[in-house]
């Protein structure tokens, strides 16, 4: 496991995530399955090319990469996370699910890491963030960096909390308060940030509101007919 050269900010954020997940990582997947909605939809839509490289930004316990390994048995899998504690579980997940030989992990800050020395790969056919941007302080830098790692004809897939506009106001307030306790902050301007990146890159944005706006699922990819 590789550790990128840290900055003062990344060290602080990484330490905070390690404190949060030192014990939670053992029950994370069991406790999150009921409210991290849309993860399987994201994985189903990745559809990398044969032998393609898939990178997860903020891989956590490795749950999503295990799902990608089952769906795409010839894909090469990569994961980064700022929490060394979470990466301990990710490595165990990869070993238990028998995809460790085609996976590489690195402890890294999503806003600036260099994937070549840390992962042995500079560009990726699919990059995705699953409920990650709402926990990264400088999420817009992380988003732009993720887009910069795309190979030609690559795709960036984003899944995160929406604004829950379809929920009753009281329930919505309770939800946002509860998320805030875990340092989770849904990004109301996520769609506009994605659209700006897509426009600047000459790519197309597909954006969906799922589960009464509880989660947002987006893809940035080449425009139809341009591949």
């Amino acid at each position: 496991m590789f550790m990128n050269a840290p900055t003062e900010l990344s060290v602080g954020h990484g330490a905070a995530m390690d404190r949060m997940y030192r014990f939670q990582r053992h029950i994370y997947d069991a406790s999150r399955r009921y409210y991290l909605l849309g993860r399987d939809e994201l994985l189903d839509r990745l559809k990398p090319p044969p032998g393609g490289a898939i990178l997860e930004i903020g891989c956590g316990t490795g749950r999503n990469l295990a799902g990608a390994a089952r769906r795409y048995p010839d894909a090469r899998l990569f994961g980064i996370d700022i929490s060394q504690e979470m990466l301990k579980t990710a490595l165990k997940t990869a070993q238990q699910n028998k995809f460790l030989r085609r996976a590489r992990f690195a402890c890294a800050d999503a806003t600036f890491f260099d994937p070549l020395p840390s992962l042995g790969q500079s560009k990726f056919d699919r990059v995705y963030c699953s409920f990650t941007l709402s926990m990264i302080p400088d999420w817009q830098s992380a988003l732009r960096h993720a887009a910069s790692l795309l190979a030609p004809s690559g795709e960036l897939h984003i899944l995160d909390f929406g604004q829950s506009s379809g929920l009753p106001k009281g329930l919505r307030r309770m939800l946002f308060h509860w998320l805030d306790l875990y340092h989770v902050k849904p990004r109301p301007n996520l769609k506009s940030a994605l659209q700006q990146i897509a426009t600047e890159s000459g790519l197309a944005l597909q954006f969906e509101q799922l589960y009464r706006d509880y989660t947002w699922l987006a893809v940035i990819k080449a425009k139809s007919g341009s591949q």
Side-chain angles (χ1 to χ4, degrees):
M1 187 172 66
F2 185 95
M3 176 67 186
N4 279 269
T7 65
E8 184 176 347
L9 178 61
S10 66
V11 167
H13 186 50
M17 293 298 99
D18 279 342
R19 287 193 297 272
M20 178 183 296
Y21 292 124
R22 183 164 291 117
F23 301 108
Q24 281 195 46
R25 66 188 176 91
H26 299 292
I27 61 168
Y28 184 92
D29 290 332
S31 62
R32 266 62 173 183
R33 63 182 298 182
Y34 299 107
Y35 67 88
L36 296 186
L37 306 178
R39 292 181 294 175
D40 290 336
E41 287 92 333
L42 180 149
L43 296 174
D44 288 341
R45 298 181 188 193
L46 290 179
K47 294 183 173 61
I54 300 175
L55 169 65
E56 179 171 15
I57 305 292
C59 64
T61 64
R63 181 265 184 196
N64 293 327
L65 285 173
R70 289 191 296 271
R71 288 167 171 81
Y72 312 109
D74 63 346
R76 292 169 293 134
L77 305 166
F78 303 85
I80 68 112
D81 203 287
I82 202 167
S83 169
Q84 297 186 63
E85 292 293 328
M86 278 299 215
L87 285 170
K88 293 176 184 177
T89 300
L91 287 167
K92 184 177 179 180
T93 297
Q95 187 172 31
Q96 291 177 338
N97 288 271
K98 298 180 173 58
F99 67 92
L100 186 58
R101 289 187 177 181
R102 57 187 174 108
R104 294 192 68 173
F105 297 92
C107 187
D109 187 319
T111 63
F112 71 88
F113 76 100
D114 183 352
L116 188 57
S118 59
L119 297 173
Q121 184 88 12
S122 60
K123 298 291 182 180
F124 303 86
D125 300 290
R126 300 292 183 268
V127 179
Y128 70 92
C129 303
S130 175
F131 295 101
T132 302
L133 296 175
S134 53
M135 296 195 70
I136 298 176
D138 189 5
W139 65 273
Q140 295 193 28
S141 291
L143 187 59
R144 286 190 171 279
H145 188 53
S148 76
L149 301 177
L150 293 177
S153 300
E155 297 177 5
L156 174 60
H157 294 245
I158 303 294
L159 176 70
D160 219 311
F161 291 103
Q163 292 298 292
S164 297
S165 61
L167 298 181
K169 291 182 179 180
L171 181 58
R172 181 177 181 272
R173 285 195 297 269
M174 290 176 59
L175 171 64
F176 276 55
H177 175 71
W178 180 70
L179 291 175
D180 190 59
L181 294 176
Y182 290 92
H183 309 287
V184 177
K185 301 184 183 302
R187 309 302 185 183
N189 54 336
L190 175 60
K191 183 178 181 179
S192 61
L194 287 166
Q195 185 61 70
Q196 183 174 358
I197 291 173
T199 300
E200 292 172 353
S201 305
L203 302 174
L205 171 65
Q206 296 178 358
F207 190 92
E208 297 178 53
Q209 299 171 322
L210 304 179
Y211 308 108
R212 301 179 70 179
D213 198 34
Y214 179 81
T215 54
W216 290 346
L217 181 59
V219 183
I220 292 178
K221 62 181 182 178
K223 296 180 180 178
S224 297
S226 62
Q227 293 186 352

